[in-house]
């Protein structure tokens, strides 16, 4: 079945540091890939997505490239801020079945940015 | 503004009681989902519904039940058969042809 493996956390960085959170996946066919962010006590918000190989998703300074050859979708940001502190989830979706998409999530990576 | 509303935000239940979590969306999305989140375990799919009056079990459906009588609403009942119900429950919806979910803000259920 489909699965997602994320870099284990927690990750602690200083402000303005470079961020990488690794994500690899196992899937049949051609999944779509996502990064979601969760702030304390809240639901998940879509950060970025990519729906085919070599696509780059980007938003709020975060980027991730869909690499089919390495089955990876690593999240990067060049200069993190304290406000980026949150839990980040990598996820994949196979082809929709009768309009429903079953997203499979990684275990999440807690990121803390110190001033 | 369109979105998903989950209520209540916090819920306490005594052992042996059933409890129903509310999820309402005004996004006109056809598909809706319930996930459970436990610390360090990511999200696990409980039930999903592609359309009104139809729903499917996810990976951890035992001890839960759902209904989908209206497009806007997808309530989840946590029954007394659920052995470890304390968790954060998230409802989501998706639009046909658009990949990805919109999430509600969640309900934290604690069994006391």
């Amino acid at each position: 079945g489909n699965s997602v493996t994320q870099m284990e956390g927690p990750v602690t960085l200083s402000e303005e540091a470079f961020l990488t959170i690794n994500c690899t996946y196992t899937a049949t066919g051609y999944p779509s890939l996502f990064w979601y962010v969760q702030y304390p006590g809240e639901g998940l918000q879509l950060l970025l997505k990519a729906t085919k190989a070599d696509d780059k998703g980007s938003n709020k300074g975060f980027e991730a490239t869909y690499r089919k050859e390495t089955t990876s979708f690593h999240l990067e940001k060049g200069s993190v801020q304290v406000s980026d502190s949150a839990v980040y989830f990598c996820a994949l979706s196979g082809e929709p079945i009768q309009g429903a998409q079953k997203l499979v999530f990684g275990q999440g990576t807690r990121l803390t940015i110190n001033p | 503004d369109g979105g998903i509303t989950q209520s209540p935000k916090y819920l306490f239940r005594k052992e042996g009681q059933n409890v129903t979590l509310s999820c309402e969306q005004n996004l006109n999305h056809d598909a809706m989902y319930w996930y459970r989140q436990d610390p360090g375990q990511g999200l696990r799919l409980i039930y999903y519904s592609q359309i009104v009056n139809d729903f499917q079990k996810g990976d951890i459906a035992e001890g839960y039940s759902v209904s989908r009588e209206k497009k806007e609403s997808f309530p989840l009942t946590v029954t007394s058969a659920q052995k470890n119900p304390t968790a954060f429950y998230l409802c989501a919806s998706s639009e046909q042809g658009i990949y990805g979910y919109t999430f509600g803000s969640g309900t934290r259920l604690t069994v006391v």
Side-chain angles (χ1 to χ4, degrees), chain B residues 23-35:
Chain B
C23 177
E24 303 277 335
Q25 55 104 352
N26 61 2
L27 299 165
N28 201 34
H29 288 176
D30 284 311
M32 297 186 74
Y33 313 81
W34 275 104
Y35 280 83

Side-chain angles (χ1 to χ4, degrees), chain B residues 72-93:
Chain B
E72 302 80 16
S73 179
F74 191 41
L76 173 74
T77 297
V78 184
T79 75
S80 56
Q82 169 49 235
K83 291 182 171 44
N84 185 20
T86 295
F88 191 50
Y89 291 87
L90 287 159
C91 180
S93 68

Side-chain angles (χ1 to χ4, degrees), chain A residues 49-111:
Chain A
K49 67 181 179 184
T51 56
K52 59 183 189 295
D54 299 325
D55 268 2
K56 178 186 283 189
S58 61
N59 186 25
K60 298 180 182 179
F62 291 90
E63 293 183 341
T65 301
Y66 188 159
R67 301 285 188 202
K68 189 165 175 60
E69 64 275 13
T70 54
T71 62
S72 65
F73 192 55
H74 304 321
L75 182 68
E76 296 182 336
K77 186 174 186 182
S79 176
V80 292
Q81 307 300 313
V82 171
S83 57
D84 294 326
S85 298
V87 180
Y88 291 81
F89 290 92
C90 185
L92 70 80
S93 170
E95 285 296 317
I97 301 172
Q98 296 179 326
Q101 315 162 37
K102 292 172 65 176
L103 262 64
V104 174
F105 289 85
Q107 76 271 30
T109 302
R110 182 176 299 278
L111 173 66

Side-chain angles (χ1 to χ4, degrees), chain A residues 6 30-32 34 36 38-46 49-51 87 89 93-108, chain B residues 9-10 31 33 35 37 40-45 48-50 54 56-59 88 90 94-106 108:
Chain A
Q6 275 184 246
Y30 303 94
S32 296
F34 307 87
Y36 281 86
Q38 184 179 37
Y39 299 101
E42 296 184 10
L44 277 67
Q45 301 173 25
L46 179 64
K49 67 181 179 184
T51 56
V87 180
F89 290 92
S93 170
E95 285 296 317
I97 301 172
Q98 296 179 326
Q101 315 162 37
K102 292 172 65 176
L103 262 64
V104 174
F105 289 85
Q107 76 271 30
Chain B
K9 192 170 179 64
Y10 299 96
Y33 313 81
Y35 280 83
Q37 183 179 16
Q41 292 194 39
L43 279 70
R44 293 180 289 170
L45 181 63
Y48 65 100
S49 168
Q50 303 101 309
D54 191 22
Q56 307 295 327
K57 291 182 179 179
D59 301 318
F88 191 50
L90 287 159
S94 66
E95 183 178 3
Q96 191 136 358
I98 305 294
Y99 287 94
Y101 293 167
T102 300
F103 279 91
S105 56
R108 186 166 298 281

